[in-house]
Amino acid sequence: MPSGTSRLLHCTDMKRMLALTPLLIATAGVAQAPPGYWPPAWAVPIWRQVTSGPTPPSPSPASPSTPPSPTATPPAADSAEKRPRPPSAEEERQLAAAAMRQGNYAIAYYHWLPLAEQGDAEAQFGIGWMYHNGYGLVIDDYQTLRWWSLAAQHGHLDALFALGLLYASGDAEVVRNPRWAADLYLKAARGGHEEARALLIELLRDQGHRLGELTAGWKKEDWALLGQPQRLGANRANCRGEPDLEAAVVAVLDEGTPLIELSRRGEWVEVVVPTKALRGWLHESLLEPPAEAAPNTPRVLRPSEKLG
């Protein structure tokens, strides 16, 4: 350490350092290769460094250090004012994100953990991401689930999406649960998360036999998140399992049945039928034609309507 520099470690700093200890000694179990700076130098952020005069000599046995007397002169009142302010929560988030991009996982954890413990959703998601991917920590999806669930309770869209992925696939520590995955994808999709919407559609395709269970309680606007609303135009039509006239019929639909268009393949349209909780294919000729826009012709005013 440079002779003209001292580092101030307060109780908060010590708690953070202690929290980092398991992160630093778990190198044998990390999934990612340790960063090049490993082991960390236990650096304190720059804002905690203050410039002072020369370091006083250590007391010798001949002149033992004695505590100051009660009449000792108190420190100057303005000394605290010279200490730089601690970073804001937003600055801590930015420091953590920068450290993650650089592979400085211990530093990212140092900045995120206090925020996460105070209920910051972005920090909670970040720590869950570190546990899930083994960034400086032993992979532990139990901890991943804990931190992502806390972030999801605050409506964090990426946490909702990531939890959906976790429950859709499952692993040794998380039991696969497509129903929970669908609920989480739907909540994220309601917030505009496009990847969640796309994976929700894939999940419904994969779990077509459980469509009614996975979509129980859905509202009209939830179905509309999946695609373009349509209606059946023919008197009656066969909805097929595949886009082929020889494919098995999964349902017979009546005229006016509300549909949601998921995709197209040639002249065939993949749809879900909310009222029957099923997915299938219809030939495009069986759908109601799109409403034609009224011709854009100027209205001719009558003589009595003309101005001035």
Side-chain angles (χ1 to χ4, degrees):
M1 181 184 299
S3 60
T5 302
S6 65
R7 300 178 186 270
L8 301 179
L9 292 177
H10 298 276
C11 292
T12 300
D13 304 318
M14 290 302 298
K15 289 172 65 178
R16 288 190 180 190
M17 292 297 189
L18 291 173
L20 279 172
T21 301
L23 178 85
L24 304 176
I25 65 176
T27 57
V30 296
Q32 302 289 336
Y37 78 103
W38 200 273
W42 292 90
V44 179
I46 296 299
W47 69 269
R48 292 192 179 91
Q49 298 182 3
V50 294
T51 302
S52 63
T55 302
S58 300
S60 62
S63 59
S65 176
T66 57
S69 64
T71 58
T73 303
D78 63 344
S79 61
E81 298 176 2
K82 297 179 180 179
R83 184 186 177 208
R85 67 167 181 84
S88 65
E90 180 57 32
E91 289 168 339
E92 292 273 23
R93 294 188 201 101
Q94 293 176 4
L95 289 168
M100 282 294 289
R101 287 192 293 269
Q102 297 164 6
N104 295 336
Y105 306 130
I107 300 302
Y109 187 87
Y110 172 89
H111 289 293
W112 266 334
L113 184 61
L115 295 178
E117 290 175 338
Q118 294 165 19
D120 186 280
E122 187 66 29
Q124 290 167 342
F125 174 73
I127 289 183
W129 188 256
M130 293 178 75
Y131 273 114
H132 183 63
N133 293 282
Y135 289 141
L137 294 165
V138 177
I139 289 178
D140 185 344
D141 275 342
Y142 179 82
Q143 289 292 336
T144 298
L145 195 62
R146 175 193 170 216
W147 287 108
W148 282 354
S149 296
L150 289 171
Q153 289 174 14
H154 296 289
H156 193 282
L157 296 183
D158 283 335
L160 289 164
F161 173 64
L163 279 173
L165 281 172
L166 206 55
Y167 281 118
S169 56
D171 63 15
E173 296 172 310
V174 179
V175 178
R176 186 170 183 260
N177 192 318
R179 173 61 193 272
W180 289 2
D183 289 345
L184 290 159
Y185 284 154
L186 178 61
K187 289 177 181 178
R190 286 171 178 165
H193 201 292
E194 183 58 30
E195 291 85 354
R197 189 191 75 85
L199 286 188
L200 177 58
I201 292 173
E202 289 301 317
L203 180 65
L204 297 181
R205 285 192 182 113
D206 180 63
Q207 299 286 318
H209 60 290
R210 298 177 60 187
L211 196 63
E213 175 191 351
L214 299 184
T215 59
W218 278 30
K219 300 177 181 178
K220 182 178 179 180
E221 52 268 28
D222 294 332
W223 287 102
L225 289 171
L226 302 181
Q228 178 67 33
Q230 300 276 12
R231 284 188 176 276
L232 189 69
N235 290 334
R236 288 175 71 83
N238 292 328
C239 184
R240 300 183 181 274
E242 296 294 335
D244 191 306
L245 287 174
E246 302 300 322
V249 175
V250 296
V252 178
L253 306 179
D254 297 321
E255 183 178 6
T257 299
L259 312 164
I260 301 294
E261 178 181 329
L262 298 182
S263 67
R264 289 184 177 249
R265 189 183 303 175
E267 296 179 340
W268 290 85
V269 182
E270 181 186 18
V271 299
V272 288
V273 188
T275 56
K276 295 181 177 291
L278 61 84
R279 181 190 69 89
W281 293 83
L282 291 167
H283 193 271
E284 64 180 6
S285 62
L286 301 173
L287 302 180
E288 283 186 352
E292 295 183 2
N296 188 19
T297 55
R299 177 171 175 264
V300 179
L301 297 177
R302 297 176 183 175
S304 59
E305 295 178 311
K306 290 182 179 180
L307 300 177

